[in-house]
Amino acid sequence: MNETLDITITKADQSRLTVTDFSQLPFGKVFSDHMFIAEYEDGAWTNLQVLPYGPIPMSPAISALHYGQAIFEGMKAYRQADGNISVFRADKNFERFNKSAQRMAMPAIPEDIFRQGIAALIDIDKNWVPNQDGYSLYIRPVMFATDPYLGVRASDKYTFALLTTPTGPYYSKALKVKIETEFTRADEGGVGYAKTAGNYARSLHPFAEALKEGFDQLIWTDAVSHEFIEEAGTANLIFVIDGKLVTPSIRSTVLDGVTRDTIIQLAKKAGIEVEERRVSVKEVIEGIENGKLTDAFAAGTAATVTPIGEISYEGKLHTLTDPATRTISAGIAKTLNDIRYGLAPDEFGWNWIV
Ligand SMILES: *Cc1c(COP(=O)(O)O)cnc(C)c1O
């Protein structure tokens, strides 16, 4: 398990670091010099390599393109106060990646390939891990089916890749969101809990419609009754009602977010009561109106904690409390960031120093 794997390293002739402006980093567009690749063939992972980031040759018949066998993950590496580089809660992302793989009839990635791949890639591209406050290196593991075959069946061949992209701070401008009651993101028995390509593809049209209407994001409701809140599609949702942290429970239609789980643990430790249960749209709208709902935010790796400022439901816009007054979410977000950057003790053992 802990033996050192044989990873072939091919260095880029020239680094793009000197021509990269770290003050202009749109999310997910600027890639570091290298990537990690492994290939699955004849029942085994082979050909492990770190190589310059760039195009990889493939047939237009690969089954990922036609039938959607594709999964991904998202996590971040932080430059800590002492200069070390730490990847946050990689064990959770690793577990979830293989859960997604299992649901999509894809092979599991062994933990040593996942971990040693990340370590090798970050080692060669360590200068791509930003050291400004609020910055990090986003790590994107991805796996896709590569059989050049048009029959509908699970592929025999797969590619696993790790890409990294430096990212800057997100604006935490409060979001204007719409509770979606026509389209759905996920249904019982489906693939909502997996980070698989199709979940995002199906959300793009409803999302584009919401953007046109002036919203920043959607809140998805359950596919059966549209009465219960599920999540935001790239982030989980957390509310403060009567001083308690309330969040939709994890089910097959809701992705088990690492940030959500982290915030729940930090809240409990801070003595805040946490309720994981079904959350109705009615309760949220009434809570805004009677003042019991004092905070609402989206929680995900990319943005951490993003306050929700306005919620539209059935054509009526409801304005929430002023984000500047929200001490609970601001406090938790600060603790979380301090742990990530090594400014607060890592009591839960979340940081993996690579
Ligand atoms: C990635 C993702 C989240 C957030 O999960 P984190 O592990 O906190 O980044 C929430 N919902 C969906 C659908 C996602 O894909």
Side-chain angles (χ1 to χ4, degrees), residues 3 10 92 108 113 124 134 137 151 169 178 209 237 347:
E3 73 191 90
T10 310
K92 289 281 285 180
I113 297 182
I124 199 167
L137 187 73
K178 173 180 142 184
E209 292 295 301
L237 294 166
E347 291 168 30

Side-chain angles (χ1 to χ4, degrees), residues 35-310:
M35 61 184 178
F36 174 85
I37 298 270
E39 285 164 339
Y40 186 83
E41 240 188 281
D42 300 326
W45 288 99
T46 58
N47 201 13
L48 279 48
Q49 41 176 330
V50 168
L51 69 170
Y53 167 80
I56 51 179
M58 60 173 68
S59 155
I62 66 166
S63 47
L65 295 177
H66 300 258
Y67 310 125
Q69 264 190 305
I71 59 169
F72 69 97
E73 264 306 325
M75 57 189 148
K76 282 178 169 175
Y78 298 85
R79 175 81 62 183
Q80 299 205 315
D82 59 6
N84 280 338
I85 297 168
S86 163
V87 182
F88 191 71
R89 301 202 71 182
D91 53 335
K92 289 281 285 180
N93 296 91
F94 167 71
E95 259 173 44
R96 191 170 66 191
F97 193 70
N98 280 343
K99 227 168 127 181
S100 299
Q102 203 254 347
R103 179 63 182 86
M104 302 310 291
M106 299 166 89
I109 190 86
E111 185 163 8
D112 49 2
I113 297 182
F114 192 84
R115 286 208 180 242
Q116 290 183 39
I118 291 172
L121 186 56
I122 288 186
D123 182 56
I124 199 167
D125 279 342
K126 49 174 129 15
N127 293 335
W128 285 87
V129 184
N131 54 22
Q132 301 103 300
D133 192 32
Y135 285 68
S136 58
L137 187 73
Y138 181 83
I139 305 169
R140 167 54 62 91
V142 62
M143 191 202 298
F144 51 93
T146 56
D147 269 6
Y149 172 58
L150 297 185
V152 179
R153 60 143 171 76
S155 181
D156 288 328
K157 295 195 186 100
Y158 297 87
T159 294
F160 170 77
L162 293 165
L163 314 177
T164 60
T165 166
T167 58
Y170 258 67
Y171 293 113
S172 53
K173 176 180 86 70
L175 302 174
K176 180 179 175 183
V177 302
K178 173 180 142 184
I179 296 183
E180 177 63 62
T181 52
E182 181 191 354
F183 299 107
T184 59
R185 190 193 85 90
D187 34 57
E188 295 289 340
V191 298
Y193 67 89
K195 252 177 140 70
T196 187
N199 283 332
Y200 308 87
R202 71 185 275 177
S203 72
L204 297 177
H205 170 66
F207 181 54
E209 292 295 301
L211 280 184
K212 266 193 244 163
E213 293 164 29
F215 298 103
D216 304 305
Q217 257 309 340
L218 288 178
I219 290 185
W220 297 103
T221 52
D222 73 284
V224 177
S225 67
H226 291 302
E227 283 172 23
F228 296 97
I229 287 180
E230 302 231 294
E231 58 153 295
T234 53
N236 293 100
L237 294 166
I238 302 179
F239 304 92
V240 176
I241 303 174
D242 276 334
K244 293 178 210 160
L245 214 67
V246 177
T247 182
S249 36
I250 296 305
R251 45 203 297 116
S252 70
T253 53
V254 176
L255 191 104
D256 186 0
V258 177
T259 316
R260 174 189 177 279
D261 179 76
T262 303
I263 288 172
I264 289 173
Q265 294 195 48
L266 290 176
K268 285 183 179 165
K269 196 174 158 255
I272 299 164
E273 209 178 308
V274 178
E275 290 183 359
E276 296 182 66
R277 55 170 171 81
R278 296 211 91 177
V279 178
S280 69
V281 176
K282 186 163 171 269
E283 151 178 33
V284 165
I285 300 299
E286 282 179 5
I288 300 170
E289 285 178 345
N290 65 24
K292 288 187 174 173
L293 189 149
T294 52
D295 200 336
F297 57 95
T301 295
T304 309
V305 167
T306 313
I308 295 171
E310 292 166 289

